[in-house]
Structures are given as C-alpha cells and as structure tokens.
Amino acid sequence: MGISTGTGTESGTGRDVVKGGAAHVGRRRFLGGLGALAAGGALSACSRAGESAPRARSRVATTSTARPRTARPLFIGTYTSAEGGGPGIATATYDGTSGRITGTGVVEGVGDPSYLAVHPSGRTLYAVDERDAGAVTAVRLDAGGAHQVIGSRPTGGPAPCHLSVHPSGRWLLSANYGSGSVAVHPLAASGAPGERTDLVTHSEPPPGPGRSGPHAHQIVTSPDGGHVLAVDLGNDTVYTYRLDTRAGTLAEVSRTTLKPGAGPRHLTFHPSGRYAYVANELDNTVVVCGYDPRTGRLRPGAPQPTGTGSGTSYPAQLVVTGDGGYAYLANRGHNSLTRYAVEAGGSRLRLLDTVPVGGDFPRHIALSPSGGLLFAANQRSSTVTVFHVDRRTGELRSAGPAFGSPVAVCALPL
C-alpha cells in the first residue's frame, strides 16, 4: 500500500524524518521571508504531550468601542516564533456588509497557529501548532470573547500545517508537512482532542524532483463524507482514504499522482462534489480533477495556467463560490488573486483575470459564509485584505484599507 501506520511515537526512521522536518519548516518560513524556526523549538505548556491545557483566556485589545450591527467573528493565524509574529490567535470582528475589520484581542497559549478550522457546531476552534514537536490545539469559543484553550495533543510529526474536522464532528484530521504524515484524533463532547488514534506516513511513491521526502500539506473530507483526501506536495500525490468512524483509523483506497514537479499544495471541491481543483505550488498550475464518490478516485485533467505569467508564483490555494460559478486562486509570488469562471457543471475552469491582492504573499484566502466577501491573509505584509464578491460576475472589488495583523497566514471568517 506504500504507507506505514501506527498510534505511538515514531521509531528510528521517524527520528530521521523529524530531523529533516526542521529544515522543511525553515523552507516554509523562507518562502514567507521569515527565516527558519529555531532548532528544537519547544511547545508552549498547553501543547506538551500528556499535560492538560491551562484555561488560557483571550487578551482583549479592542480598537473600537462600538461594533457594527452586522459584526461577525474573524480569527487570524500567525507564526508566534517568527520575527514580528503575533502572541497567539488574533481575534476580530468584520462587518458583513462593508467588510471592515475591527480587532478585539488574542487567544494566547497556542504556538505557531498557522492554520485554523472550526467545529461544525461552531463552538470550538482548532489550530495547528506548526513546530518541530507538532500539535493540535482546541479553543472553546465564547460569544463574549472569553475564549479558552481546552486541550492540545501531539500530531506525531513535525510542522503540521493543515487540519480539518470530519463532518460528523467526532474526528480531527491533521497533516504533518515535515514528515509527510497524516493524523487522526477523536473529539470529546467538549470539543477537546483525545489521544491520537492513527498516524499514516506517505512512504510511496518516491519524492518528486528536488524534494527529499513526502510533505503532507492538506487533509480534507470529500463533500459526501465518504472519503478523506490528503494532498502531499513532496511526492506529487493525492491519497484517498476511508475513515473508520468507530476506530478512527485510515485505510488507503486509491492514490492519484500528478505531473512530476507539480508540487500539489491544496485541493478544493466543487459544490457538486464531482470535481476537485488542485493548486500546484511548484509548477505554477491548476488542475481540474474528476472525482468518483463511489471509489474516491481522482481523474486529473491537463495543467492550466494561473494567469501570472512565467516563473514560479507559489500558488497557495483555491476557493469556490457557494453556487459553484466562480473560483479564486491566491498567488503568493505574484501578489494577486486569479478569477476563473467555472463551466460545464464544474468540469472546466476558464481563466478570466487577476487582480492585485493589496498585500504581500497571500498565504490563505477564505470566503465569508454569505459568499459576499473574500479575505486574504498576507504573510509578508502582516495584513488581511478584504474584497467584495460580485455574485453575478464574480468580480472582486476592494472593501477598503488593509487590516494590520502580525504575520497573518490564515484568516477564518465565521
């Protein structure tokens, strides 16, 4: 099957992988212009294995006493150990009509929370701790802003860079970039993660050109809930698993290997659930894949341009509008957002244009739940920019000045 699996700590081979992990974390920081992590960076107290998390509360630093009537919550991830990084997960609100962001505080006690996800109930926020001793942390959300860290567990690999919650709300899935492995944690009724139930390392196929090993960059559940897909940038492969929802274990059912050197980073499904779009970081392309919900297999089409010209623009990720009519791609090197028309029921992307993102190195983009706003977290400029989305044409229009947030690498509007 080309995978190794286990629930404990890694053996000798795993230790070698961890050593390599520090270098790969450094590469991720280098791309963001932030330098490498210090070797052997320690987790915060709430992130250590076997310890319960302190009841850390959010530190409030409100910039406005009056919140807009249409205010909704926004959470911003960062690299806390990077120069100029924030002290934790930044909290804010945004006006659902104007897109204006107002800072409200920070949730401290989470180390390098570079990616965020929310539980289907909306009551718990999850963050990766993207460090050599990787972990995932849960934060109980409070309507009054007194958010609390309620638990943290090790992921079994270095530099976890993505996580998602299974639609059942019972399992937390995470991807360890440094070791090319994916992990599963059970979730308690409180939302806190339990001890890891599985860890799968991508040992095959061999790494792509110029890469020393696998680098799992994303793990996500298919829209029908039947499969879990893991995108690995190191070996140009997307793995499809079935999750045993009783035992919390993964079983590989298929894999799709893309063009050598593509460097797949992020996969986004069309709302129909029959197509998926893959952003390739290294060869500056996007690939439309057919998806078979019965088998979980992907059928990749020909690579398509990003509209950024020649050279490497490090595409970060795609998002698709709720009606499936348009898709947007964040281009970090080009500092732009590409707009595609989605055609033929989702099977085709037609390049329309690119617009400046209004910041430097857009690491992450997200649509508001209403679909009327698009948020971009710009790592190098430490800003979040917001755009109005025209429902009819898909055009993007700036919603105003950028919001300053230290080393903003993930923006999650709720």
Side-chain angles (χ1 to χ4, degrees):
M1 294 247 300
I3 58 175
S4 59
T5 181
T7 57
T9 56
E10 290 72 29
S11 60
T13 301
R15 284 195 294 272
D16 291 339
V17 169
V18 170
K19 290 177 182 178
H24 294 308
V25 176
R27 175 187 176 276
R28 292 170 58 77
R29 297 298 181 81
F30 173 78
L31 286 177
L34 299 174
L37 281 171
L43 286 172
S44 59
C46 71
S47 302
R48 295 181 187 132
E51 295 185 17
S52 60
R55 294 173 61 84
R57 292 183 178 270
S58 60
R59 178 166 55 84
V60 177
T62 306
T63 59
S64 174
T65 56
R67 295 183 182 180
R69 293 181 64 185
T70 57
R72 296 186 58 87
L74 173 70
F75 297 92
I76 303 170
T78 185
Y79 283 120
T80 58
S81 64
E83 182 180 354
I89 302 169
T91 64
T93 62
Y94 68 96
D95 186 297
T97 301
S98 69
R100 180 178 181 271
I101 299 174
T102 301
T104 58
V106 62
V107 180
E108 298 181 329
V110 189
D112 292 315
S114 64
Y115 197 88
L116 311 172
V118 69
H119 191 277
S121 69
R123 294 193 294 266
T124 310
L125 181 74
Y126 298 96
V128 297
D129 299 20
E130 193 181 329
R131 298 188 170 191
D132 281 350
V136 288
T137 296
V139 178
R140 180 182 294 123
L141 300 181
D142 176 77
H147 312 306
Q148 295 181 351
V149 174
I150 59 172
S152 186
R153 297 285 183 176
T155 59
C161 63
H162 187 272
L163 81 173
S164 62
V165 183
H166 188 265
S168 68
R170 296 178 51 215
W171 305 100
L172 183 65
L173 312 168
S174 57
N176 295 308
Y177 179 88
S179 56
S181 59
V182 292
V184 183
H185 290 83
L187 294 176
S190 66
E195 290 288 348
R196 191 175 65 246
T197 54
D198 206 1
L199 180 70
V200 180
T201 300
H202 299 154
S203 58
E204 294 179 2
R211 280 154 285 169
S212 60
H215 299 306
H217 212 296
Q218 183 195 25
I219 184 165
V220 64
T221 305
S222 60
D224 64 342
H227 297 93
V228 171
L229 290 89
V231 180
D232 197 296
L233 185 149
N235 55 22
D236 301 318
T237 299
V238 179
Y239 299 83
T240 301
Y241 300 98
R242 285 197 185 276
L243 172 67
D244 185 323
T245 55
R246 292 179 297 177
T249 54
L250 296 169
E252 183 181 344
V253 296
S254 67
R255 66 177 67 164
T256 303
T257 299
L258 301 176
K259 178 183 174 182
R265 175 185 175 92
H266 193 277
L267 175 152
T268 303
F269 277 95
H270 185 268
S272 69
R274 300 307 298 262
Y275 299 95
Y277 312 116
V278 180
N280 292 319
E281 174 178 319
L282 299 182
D283 72 356
N284 198 34
T285 64
V286 169
V287 171
V288 179
C289 301
Y291 172 72
D292 185 340
R294 184 179 59 85
T295 64
R297 188 173 298 278
L298 293 175
R299 302 181 308 278
Q304 297 183 221
T306 63
T308 59
S310 60
T312 300
S313 193
Y314 303 114
Q317 72 169 112
L318 287 141
V319 294
V320 183
T321 56
D323 63 3
Y326 295 94
Y328 305 96
L329 172 69
N331 304 296
R332 289 174 291 170
H334 196 247
N335 287 332
S336 66
L337 301 172
T338 300
R339 178 175 59 121
Y340 296 93
V342 180
E343 300 176 336
S347 65
R348 187 168 64 235
L349 293 180
R350 179 165 57 88
L351 177 65
L352 296 177
D353 58 17
T354 63
V355 298
V357 75
D360 193 354
F361 219 69
R363 169 75 175 270
H364 177 262
I365 56 175
L367 291 165
S368 63
S370 71
L373 297 170
L374 184 147
F375 295 77
N378 303 297
Q379 182 174 351
R380 289 178 177 170
S381 58
S382 291
T383 58
V384 176
T385 47
V386 187
F387 296 83
H388 293 287
V389 180
D390 187 300
R391 306 298 183 88
R392 185 178 61 85
T393 66
E395 291 185 39
L396 299 176
R397 177 173 55 85
S398 173
F403 175 78
S405 187
V407 190
V409 292
C410 181
L412 179 62
L414 302 182

